[in-house]
Amino acid sequence: MSLPSGTFNQGYGQDMAIFRTRTHWVMLIAFLIFLFACPLFFGDRILTVLTIIGISVISVHGLNILTGYCNQISMGHAGFMAVGAYTSAILTAKLGFSFWAALPCAALAAGIVGIIFGLPSLRIKGFYLIMATIAAHFIIIWVILQLYGITGGSDGLSVPRPEIGGFVFKSKSSYFYLVMIIACLGTFLAKNIVRTRAGRAFIAIRDNELAAEVMGVNLWSYKLVAFFIGCVYAGVAGSLLVHYVAFATTDQFPFMNSVWYLGMLIVGGMGSTAGAIFGAVFLKLLDELVTIFGPVLSAAVAPQAAASLSLIMRGLVIILFLIFEPRGLAHRWQMIKSYYRLWPFSH
Amino acid sequence: MTKIKWLFIASIIVLLLAMPLLAACPGEETTTPATTAPPPKTTAPPPVQKTLSIGGCFALTGAYAEDMAAVLAGFEDYAAYVNETHKLAPWRTETFPEDITLEVLWRDDELNVEKVLSIYEELKDKGLLVERTSGSPQALALMNLLNEDRIGATSSAVGPYLLSPPKTIFIQYPVYTDATAAIADWFLDNWKETRAPRVAYLTADNAMGKSVVIPEMDVYLESIGFEVVGTQFVPLVPTSPPTTQLLWLKQNKVDLALGVMINPGAQPTYKEMVRLDMGPDLGYKIAFGTASPGHAVVFAEALGEVGDGYLCAGSYPPLSEVTVPGIQFCSDLQDSYRSDRVTHIMYPHGVVEAMVQVEALRLAMQKVPIDELTPVDVLEYGFYMIKNLETGGITSTPLTFGPGDVVGMDEVLVQQVQGGKAVALGTWPLHNIYKHE
């Protein structure tokens, strides 16, 4: 943790604290107050956008642990989300489970499937692992479609909304709170996971597998742990998504979503918890902006000008980041913070 | 390089600041006066011009982009026609209120479910009293939300899932199962052999394509005398010819292959069929038909005589068939309001969809004043009250909707490519094959 000029850590507790100074705490509380006050200021539309961003943040946190910290590039993240989504959907819609029981089951199921598809990760890496995870996505979707009697196949499955003590999370604001609470918890957990022994092992694997192994890091088990944790996050995100729409269909988890989640990591900054948030927020807001501008551009230039605009913009932003800021927005944020830490004494 | 970096950072910051501001921008008021002209000297007050919106989600990105661009053009031209003439169609005597201007509100949903959700909320906020969905993923995602908000919608995706409650999405061409059943009916009417014909599904491997592969369809096909052999899936837009799937049909001695595909899938499939000497007039006799949106007109334009024998059910008459009043109307619309002519078959679909939305709004306004109009009013006094809406022959029959009745027509038009042209073979009755819970 970087500290303001003149502030020093005097014990292990202080050294490990995420929020070290009073300013940090004030900023955190202010942010949380602002976040949870959003339903007071914004309508259903903005709340929908924020809810989707929250779900994406949860998913990207998982991918960040897997790819950003442990360097196991996964292009099957949307598939793992589908596992969580369908587990939750089947448990609630077909077996009458409560959402609160189904959510951890969804996380667990996605984690287990993640472990299964993560098994080859010890033997293959890089491009070959990417191909393996792409295959994972298509296998998962294929299996879901084949299990027509359970999953509803391509017709999908109607899913009940979460409920607690007779209160149904039906309104946009109530679901927003649900997602944001889970997103905040997920962020807190993600931040702490990477500070644990496992997290340090992930980073060691990312930086140099051979060196990590020589130091006694069990590559096999830690890679699988990374897959498990990453997919647990994906499962939670998938479950939240289908309960939000109140319907589960494989079309909610297209392969391209996996690509965009990776794009979010690139834009936000791989290997940074804040980066996962920045990336998800940035690309989702960019999407909204482009959607609004589409008809304007179409009217001003040509009817077809709006077609594929989102894809082009997202692709362009990712390319620009890869060229000019490969460490993402999180790095920029660090630089801004560093600048102000010494302010007004520049170095 | 440093300057470029700072420019890059500055542009990112500007973009970040602009996004929430723009996103939070309130939309145009849909029912406020649009003109502020000074009052004339006469005693009669001037009519206050009000605005009503039609439209919804259009997937202008992705596999259906071309189709949806044509649908959007149909919406825009029809709205322009109503605004200018205050008529609803040349063959209709009813008029649209002169003090109301129609505007088309639309957003590109990219066939992306997450995006559809925010667009839906945005358009709802902007006062859109009706909705539309452009593909099965969006229709499935919006079905429950539309019901919760009691908003009536039109759709260019017609999966059998629309027949399950809540039934608030109204369609102008038959659901895929009924369309493919009509092809089977036609095939059986022309079957000369004494043995039972063998049928298999050859269909797109997405929600749309798979929606016909259901037990009810098997039961129907077997009940009319077919032997159901199995299913082969083809990617929605194949990246390589589906040789394996076609050879499977050959090995299993299939006489009729049925499915749902878009043209980018149906065309390479049929080309490969011809290359493998498979077709109604080739070495291995087989018929291949898809439900609309595998439009025979688009197919014939692209493949010419190579496509001879291809069947499509549930589509519209070709835009060249100006003897059909509805098609003539579409041609006139383009003459009046469009500099670049749209030649895609989904243009008439867009016109019909817009017609349905406008009719729902018009009927609802007969019961409730425009300023008090809500989506529920448009659903209950509008969509549910549409009876025998004449489309000038664009749809196989006039459209009738009601509570629980979301399929507008009663018959299915079957077309075949013959001599490089789409030829109408006739209409077959709707069987309502899909049995919802």
Side-chain angles (χ1 to χ4, degrees), chain A residues 35 47-61 176 179-180 182-184 187 237 240 280-281 284:
Chain A
L35 183 67
L47 290 181
T48 302
V49 174
L50 293 174
T51 305
I52 297 294
I53 287 175
I55 293 170
S56 300
V57 165
I58 296 168
S59 182
V60 178
H61 272 320
F176 166 83
V179 168
M180 285 307 160
I182 296 175
C184 288
T187 305
L240 287 171
V281 172
K284 285 287 173 191

Side-chain angles (χ1 to χ4, degrees), chain B residues 277-297:
Chain B
D277 201 25
M278 298 166 73
D281 304 315
L282 298 174
Y284 178 81
K285 304 277 180 241
I286 184 170
F288 171 50
T290 71
S292 175
H295 308 285
V297 177

Side-chain angles (χ1 to χ4, degrees), chain B residues 384-396:
Chain B
Y384 286 167
M385 296 299 150
I386 293 176
K387 307 291 172 205
N388 286 314
L389 175 66
E390 184 55 66
T391 61
I394 298 176
T395 54
S396 53

